[in-house]
Amino acid sequence: MELIDIVWLKRDLRLQDHAPLAMACQSGRRTLVCYCFEPSLLNDPHLHSSHQRFIVESLADLSGQLKQQGLSLQVFWCDFITLLESLSENFILQNLYSHEEIGVMSTFQRDQAVARWCRTHGVHWQEIPQYAVQRGHRGRSGWRAFADQFLKQPCCQVQLKQLTTLQLQPEHRAYSLKCQQLPRLWLSRNPHYQPGGEQAAQQQLQHFIDERLEQYSFHISKPHSSRQFSSRLSAYLAYGNLSVRSVLHALKPLPASRHRRAFYSRMRWHCHFVQKFESDCRIEFEPLNPAYQRLLAEHQQQLDPVQQQEFFTAWAEGQTGLPLVDACMRALLSTGFVNFRMRAMLVSVACHHLQLDWKSVALHLAQHFLDFDPGIHYPQIQMQAGMTGFNTLRIYNPVQQSLKQDAETRFITEFVPELRDFPTALRHQPWLMTPLEAQMFAEFAEGYVKPVVDIQATGRAARERLWRWRESPAVQAAVPRLLRTQVSGFSAQQLASAQE
């Protein structure tokens, strides 16, 4: 039987700066370049049809690029181990090349099963990092130097002219596993969402550098203008249409500016947060600081479950009666995007003002963030929900955010059209309407819901509760260990101070 190699694509849907592909090009063997839609993973609660649509668009882009080189991409509808078993009936599997995936528990368990299969069957699986992340590293010692070295390395050159791809034939067992038809919802283009694909990603990056970078810092916190002036690269990074390293290299020739520095630092933060998740992946299910587990459980028992479900539904559907909160949620539901500050506000309102269970909040947002990346998502959820014991406590007031970040209410009026005919001041706080104004705008006032909570009262209660929890001995006892594993460059002096 013929010796073959496999390149397994996951969250790395690109051709450039792709080490697994580069290694396959050098092997001299025919290579199966493949992606699997795995039935065992399709029910993962983080997934949404918008994610699958983005993947399908990315695969179509990759397939088109490879065809121009006389090469092929094979897409399968089966679990990856099923594919390996079927291939092994007709071929000798020599090398399996892939990038490391820093994913949720379901993909981690899948990877563990693949590793066992490869060991049992003598297949050499080479997993290559695609982020500045140290696999299995439990502390932050040495991470900064590692990240500097990794990100400064030149982008990996993929010599596709040296690659020969394997075309399966009907007589091959694995041929029957090829994807024949995809769900219609995955195939319908939604013009309100960014399109997937490496070429779309490169166009977005170039346009950002040429046209928008020098406005970046002025707009990143504003929900309306951030849609135009932020990089809008996050989805392309989440699905590997671009590598972090290639984006940083694209910045190198540019002159120094505050905007370039701000964007560069955020790109570095990307790997910083993914490393946090890799170092403690239990935060998908548990508070980072274990002392919060009991505190949150006891607090949830004191709440009315019926009211909590009503609050969750109102928050998740953009019907809280808090204009900026509702505008952000409706924008997310219809476009898959809101900027970072508004994401933090959504979490804060949900977990602090409405006192919702953080895991339900995390899953809802994961489903609707087009750029959902577990390594970014869960560390940020933990921080914004106040479950670390050492990060700054942020209890966002959505009215203050509205007045500061959407002063002219352009964002609010776009996504909460019920308020368009109100004066600007009332679009921020419609509950402040006087009796006379209520008569003047009676026709419109009925179209928008009343606030589900008094944001001033819930803010005061949240501050008292969160600071009381944070200062508890159990929370503080866990902080020194967490600082060692979660904070890069934490000094011995800072550690001693934290232990006092």
Side-chain angles (χ1 to χ4, degrees), residues 79-270:
D79 290 339
F80 190 66
I81 286 182
T82 302
L83 176 61
L84 291 175
E85 291 173 342
S86 296
L87 288 168
S88 66
E89 293 190 15
N90 299 106
F91 304 97
I92 299 173
L93 311 185
Q94 183 73 11
N95 293 299
L96 170 60
Y97 300 115
S98 75
H99 276 118
E100 291 178 351
E101 181 176 1
I102 314 298
V104 293
M105 183 57 68
S106 59
T107 60
F108 177 57
Q109 291 173 339
R110 182 271 321 274
D111 286 351
Q112 288 179 311
V114 169
R116 289 192 296 269
W117 192 95
C118 288
R119 286 194 299 270
T120 300
H121 293 82
V123 178
H124 184 208
W125 183 15
Q126 297 188 59
E127 290 186 279
I128 299 99
Q130 70 166 335
Y131 301 139
V133 172
Q134 295 172 298
R135 172 61 61 89
H137 199 61
R138 298 304 178 197
R140 296 306 288 253
S141 175
W143 177 82
R144 186 173 294 176
F146 165 80
D148 287 340
Q149 181 182 16
F150 180 90
L151 295 172
K152 288 178 181 177
Q153 291 173 358
C155 290
C156 186
Q157 299 300 310
V158 180
Q159 304 296 335
L160 289 177
K161 292 182 179 180
Q162 299 177 12
L163 182 66
T164 303
T165 52
L166 174 67
Q167 278 279 16
L168 293 176
Q169 302 302 318
E171 62 268 21
H172 294 140
R173 172 74 183 279
Y175 185 89
S176 64
L177 301 175
K178 292 178 67 173
C179 191
Q180 303 298 324
Q181 188 174 3
L182 291 169
R184 185 176 300 176
L185 196 58
W186 300 5
L187 300 173
S188 57
R189 178 79 195 100
N190 187 329
H192 300 297
Y193 282 73
Q194 287 182 282
E198 183 178 23
Q199 294 180 94
Q202 291 172 344
Q203 291 170 7
Q204 186 72 249
L205 173 60
Q206 196 59 51
H207 188 269
F208 173 63
I209 289 173
D210 292 343
E211 305 291 338
R212 311 191 320 264
L213 176 58
E214 289 308 309
Q215 298 289 318
Y216 177 73
S217 297
F218 301 144
H219 298 280
I220 53 173
S221 295
K222 300 184 182 300
H224 182 78
S225 56
S226 63
R227 293 181 294 164
Q228 177 181 354
F229 288 100
S230 64
S231 75
R232 298 306 305 274
L233 297 178
S234 55
Y236 298 118
L237 292 166
Y239 290 96
N241 295 156
L242 292 171
S243 69
V244 173
R245 186 163 49 199
S246 68
V247 174
L248 292 179
H249 284 319
L251 296 176
K252 279 185 178 180
L254 304 180
S257 72
R258 61 176 290 190
H259 305 287
R260 180 184 179 279
R261 286 192 297 271
F263 180 65
Y264 186 92
S265 69
R266 281 163 177 78
M267 291 300 298
R268 286 290 301 255
W269 288 351
H270 178 283

Side-chain angles (χ1 to χ4, degrees), residues 46 102-105 108 138 274-294 296 358-359 362 374 378-379 381-382 387-390 475 478-479 481-483 485-486:
H46 299 88
I102 314 298
V104 293
M105 183 57 68
F108 177 57
R138 298 304 178 197
V274 177
Q275 182 67 65
K276 283 176 176 281
F277 187 62
E278 169 63 22
S279 297
D280 202 344
C281 62
R282 66 183 176 84
I283 63 175
E284 180 184 344
F285 307 102
E286 304 172 12
L288 175 67
N289 190 313
Y292 281 96
Q293 187 88 330
R294 179 182 61 82
L296 288 166
W358 69 271
K359 291 188 288 295
Y378 278 102
I381 289 287
Q382 295 275 337
M387 297 186 295
T388 70
F390 58 87
V475 166
V479 167
R481 177 185 64 81
L482 295 173
L483 289 172
T485 60
Q486 294 284 310

Side-chain angles (χ1 to χ4, degrees), residues 297-314 354-357 360:
E298 292 176 350
H299 182 68
Q300 286 292 317
Q301 290 176 355
Q302 300 172 17
L303 302 176
D304 179 352
V306 175
Q307 185 183 65
Q308 285 294 287
Q309 184 57 52
E310 291 173 351
F311 282 173
F312 179 82
T313 300
L354 303 182
Q355 304 177 70
L356 300 178
D357 173 46
S360 299

Side-chain angles (χ1 to χ4, degrees), residues 382-437:
Q382 295 275 337
M383 287 174 56
Q384 303 304 338
M387 297 186 295
T388 70
F390 58 87
N391 289 113
T392 302
L393 285 174
R394 294 180 174 89
I395 304 171
Y396 283 78
N397 182 318
V399 174
Q400 291 179 359
Q401 291 298 313
S402 175
L403 292 168
K404 183 176 181 180
Q405 307 298 350
D406 191 32
E408 298 176 0
T409 67
R410 294 173 67 188
F411 185 73
I412 288 174
T413 52
E414 179 177 353
F415 290 101
V416 188
E418 304 97 304
L419 299 177
R420 281 179 183 163
D421 294 308
F422 283 40
T424 299
L426 290 180
R427 291 180 201 149
H428 292 289
Q429 303 178 79
W431 54 86
L432 296 183
M433 191 180 301
T434 65
L436 179 59
E437 289 170 327

